[in-house]
Amino acid sequence: MAFVVSACSAAAPDPVVSAEAPPGLAAERFPRPQRPVAGIVSDQWASEDSRERAGEAAQVIDLLGIRPGMSVADIGAGAGYYVSRLAPRVGPEGRVIAQDIERRTLNRVGQRALRERLGNVSLVLGEPHDPRLAPRSVDLALLVHMYHEIAQPYGLLTNLVPAMRLNGRVAILDVDGPVLAHGTPRALLSCELAAVGYREVAWHWIEGRSIYLAVFEPPTDSPKPERIAPCGAQ
C-alpha cells in the first residue's frame, strides 16, 4: 500500500512509502533508447518563486482542465511543487499521487504535505522503468521537466498504461531542446511516445516556444517490448 498523508497527523518520522502495484514488465525486455539520458542534478527544475512569478503551474493546471475529484499522478514529483498545487485543485474527493524513484525525496514530499495539511496526497515509490501505480487508478499522469532523465522510456510508458483509467491522459512538460541540456526535442518526444502506441491529442507552448506541454492518450494495449522500434538519436 502507498502512504496516504493525513492532514490531521502530528509531526512524525519520515513516512513509509511503497509501490502500489506488483512489478510490471522488466527493463531488460525493452530496447534501449538511442539517445543520451540527462543526469538528475536536483529535485526541482527551478526555484519555486521564479516558477510562481511565471505562473507555470496555474497555466498547466488550467490547460489540462484538472478539476475536483480527479486522480492525478505526479511522476517524478521531486520537491513537491506540483503536488502542493494539484492537491487543492482536485479537492478532498480527488487524489494526488506523488511518485518518485527516490525514497528520501518522497519522504520530504510527505513532510511537506503534512505541513501544508494536504490530506489527499499519496506517496508511491517506483522504479526507473516502472511507476508501480495501481491498475486503473489515474485520470492524468503528469511528467514535469523530467522526461529527459528517464533512462528506459519505453519501459516506463508501457508499465504506465495499466494504471490509466478510461479516457486518461499523459501530459509531459519539458524544454524543446537537447537532452543533455535538460530538454527533449519535440520530434524525439513524439517518436518515443508513438513507438509505445500513445496518440498526441494536444500541444501547448508555455513560455514562448521554448517550453511545451504535450498531451497524449495511452494505447488500449501496448505493443510487445520486442516489437518496439527505438527512435533514432535527435
Side-chain angles (χ1 to χ4, degrees):
M1 294 292 289
F3 179 86
V4 179
V5 178
S6 170
C8 298
S9 299
D14 286 339
V16 175
V17 296
S18 60
E20 287 198 331
L25 298 177
E28 294 75 19
R29 293 189 58 184
F30 295 91
R32 293 184 178 182
Q34 295 181 3
R35 47 92 164 166
V37 178
I40 301 173
V41 296
S42 173
D43 63 2
Q44 60 182 0
W45 161 249
S47 74
E48 295 198 6
D49 286 345
S50 66
R51 296 170 89 173
E52 282 298 278
R53 287 193 298 272
E56 175 195 302
Q59 186 177 2
V60 168
I61 289 171
D62 287 343
L63 284 170
L64 293 173
I66 296 172
R67 61 188 184 277
M70 289 182 66
S71 175
V72 180
D74 186 1
I75 308 294
Y81 173 77
Y82 269 83
V83 170
S84 182
R85 287 149 182 82
L86 289 167
R89 181 64 69 97
V90 302
E93 301 303 317
R95 183 184 184 206
V96 176
I97 306 167
Q99 187 273 357
D100 208 280
I101 62 173
E102 295 288 341
R103 184 179 295 271
R104 287 181 295 180
T105 296
L106 283 176
N107 284 337
R108 289 194 291 270
V109 175
Q111 294 300 331
R112 177 174 184 161
L114 288 174
R115 290 194 307 272
E116 298 179 9
R117 301 184 65 79
L118 306 176
N120 57 352
V121 174
S122 299
L123 310 178
V124 174
L125 184 66
E127 300 177 70
H129 72 289
D130 185 356
R132 302 292 294 275
L133 298 174
R136 305 294 175 236
S137 62
V138 177
D139 294 306
L140 173 71
L142 182 60
L143 293 76
V144 177
H145 291 304
M146 54 75 69
Y147 186 86
H148 49 268
E149 298 171 353
I150 300 173
Q152 181 40 271
Y154 306 114
L156 185 139
L157 292 168
T158 297
N159 286 321
L160 177 60
V161 170
M164 304 305 299
R165 292 175 175 168
L166 183 66
N167 299 320
R169 296 167 296 153
V170 175
I172 299 173
L173 185 75
D174 213 337
V175 174
D176 188 16
V179 172
L180 292 181
H182 289 272
T184 306
R186 179 174 185 173
L188 176 62
L189 182 81
S190 297
C191 181
E192 290 191 346
L193 271 288
V196 189
Y198 285 73
R199 184 173 72 89
E200 184 180 312
V201 295
W203 186 279
H204 308 280
W205 293 106
I206 300 299
E207 293 184 16
R209 293 182 69 84
S210 60
I211 297 177
Y212 58 75
L213 176 66
V215 186
F216 299 85
E217 288 182 352
T220 302
D221 293 301
S222 299
K224 299 292 185 183
E226 297 78 10
R227 297 181 63 87
I228 294 174
C231 301
Q234 301 289 321

